[in-house]
Amino acid sequence: MSARRRRTSRDERRRSHSQNLLVDERVVDRLLARAELTRDEHVVEIGPGRGALTLPLAGAGARVLAVERDPGLADELRASVRRARLESRVRVLTLDARRLRWPGEPYRVIANLSFGATTALLAHMLDDPAQGPRRADVLVQRVVAIKRSSQPPTSLRSAAWAPWWEMTLGDPVPRSAFRPVPGIDAAWLHITRRDSPVLPEWLAPSLRGLLRPGWDPPTDG
């Protein structure tokens, strides 16, 4: 009988953080071909891991703030940035992105989100449209991408975001594109700020509560 490989501390952190790192370069190439990046555009990347997205984004001319909560992965990424001589393009911040203070200048988000924290990260990004991005391209579980992009909204939370944000389903990404391999496929979710919001921004903090009594079904997710 073969012995099971002993989990390292890195394995345990990745498991507890629900980290499935993107390793398929073709997925990155397809995103960059459609991302419409402009020179010196400010990009916030959540959960960069070892930099599968970070380094190509910087190489394409973006200024990247990479927010990684795993200290070991953050150190690896800093070393990779130095080797690529991209220090002027990339800043690595060791922090749980749910505590991040968003930039004061216009920015966009490009990220492979932690599957276990997707809803919380989207809420931090979208609940306050005054602080939110102009655009976000996020890799999430495919079932989540389908749910969030459904029209009309199928959850209370999605309905509360709809006056300010438009969500569309992007390309599917097979589970084989990640390590460790998750139990479910992923997809890109594209989020854009509405040019003409349906409601004023000051209503955003209270809208979910206002909608809840009449919401059917009573799901909040």
Side-chain angles (χ1 to χ4, degrees):
M1 182 175 65
S2 61
R4 295 180 63 183
R5 183 176 69 86
R6 183 178 179 182
R7 284 187 187 143
T8 66
S9 59
R10 178 184 297 171
D11 293 332
E12 293 295 344
R13 288 197 307 272
R14 187 178 300 161
R15 186 179 180 87
S16 66
H17 291 175
S18 301
Q19 289 177 300
N20 301 96
L21 304 183
L22 183 63
V23 296
D24 191 332
E25 294 180 359
R26 294 169 297 180
V27 175
V28 178
D29 291 342
R30 284 195 293 270
L31 172 70
L32 289 177
R34 303 175 184 180
E36 300 175 333
L37 280 170
T38 59
R39 185 73 182 177
D40 291 329
E41 188 165 18
H42 194 183
V43 174
V44 176
E45 183 187 4
I46 298 168
R50 296 191 176 90
L53 281 169
T54 318
L55 301 182
L57 286 170
R63 294 180 294 119
V64 184
L65 173 61
V67 185
E68 173 57 60
R69 66 175 174 173
D70 184 321
L73 286 175
D75 286 343
E76 288 186 44
L77 180 55
R78 289 186 184 98
S80 296
V81 169
R82 286 194 297 270
R83 286 194 297 271
R85 298 183 179 180
L86 289 170
E87 297 99 319
S88 64
R89 289 277 164 194
V90 180
R91 181 163 72 97
V92 181
L93 185 61
T94 307
L95 180 72
D96 186 325
R98 290 170 290 190
R99 297 173 52 204
L100 176 67
R101 178 176 293 181
W102 298 107
E105 65 178 291
Y107 70 97
R108 65 188 289 185
V109 173
I110 298 179
N112 169 30
L113 296 183
S114 166
F115 287 177
T118 297
T119 299
L121 290 167
L122 288 175
H124 184 53
M125 188 190 314
L126 305 177
D127 278 355
D128 182 0
Q131 301 296 320
R134 67 171 190 84
R135 171 176 169 175
D137 303 278
V138 292
L139 194 52
V140 299
Q141 290 179 334
R142 188 166 185 269
V143 291
V144 173
I146 293 171
K147 175 182 178 180
R148 294 300 175 204
S149 60
S150 295
Q151 292 298 326
T154 57
S155 77
L156 174 58
R157 193 179 295 272
S158 293
W161 289 332
W164 301 277
W165 309 101
E166 183 175 4
M167 303 191 188
T168 57
L169 179 65
D171 289 344
V173 176
R175 66 196 75 184
S176 59
F178 303 89
R179 293 294 183 276
V181 179
I184 192 168
D185 291 333
W188 288 102
L189 177 64
H190 303 296
I191 304 168
T192 53
R193 180 184 290 273
R194 294 188 185 278
D195 290 334
S196 300
V198 177
L199 295 171
E201 291 178 345
W202 61 264
L203 266 177
S206 58
L207 184 58
R208 190 149 51 107
L210 293 172
L211 293 175
R212 182 175 282 111
W215 186 258
D216 184 24
T219 175
D220 195 35

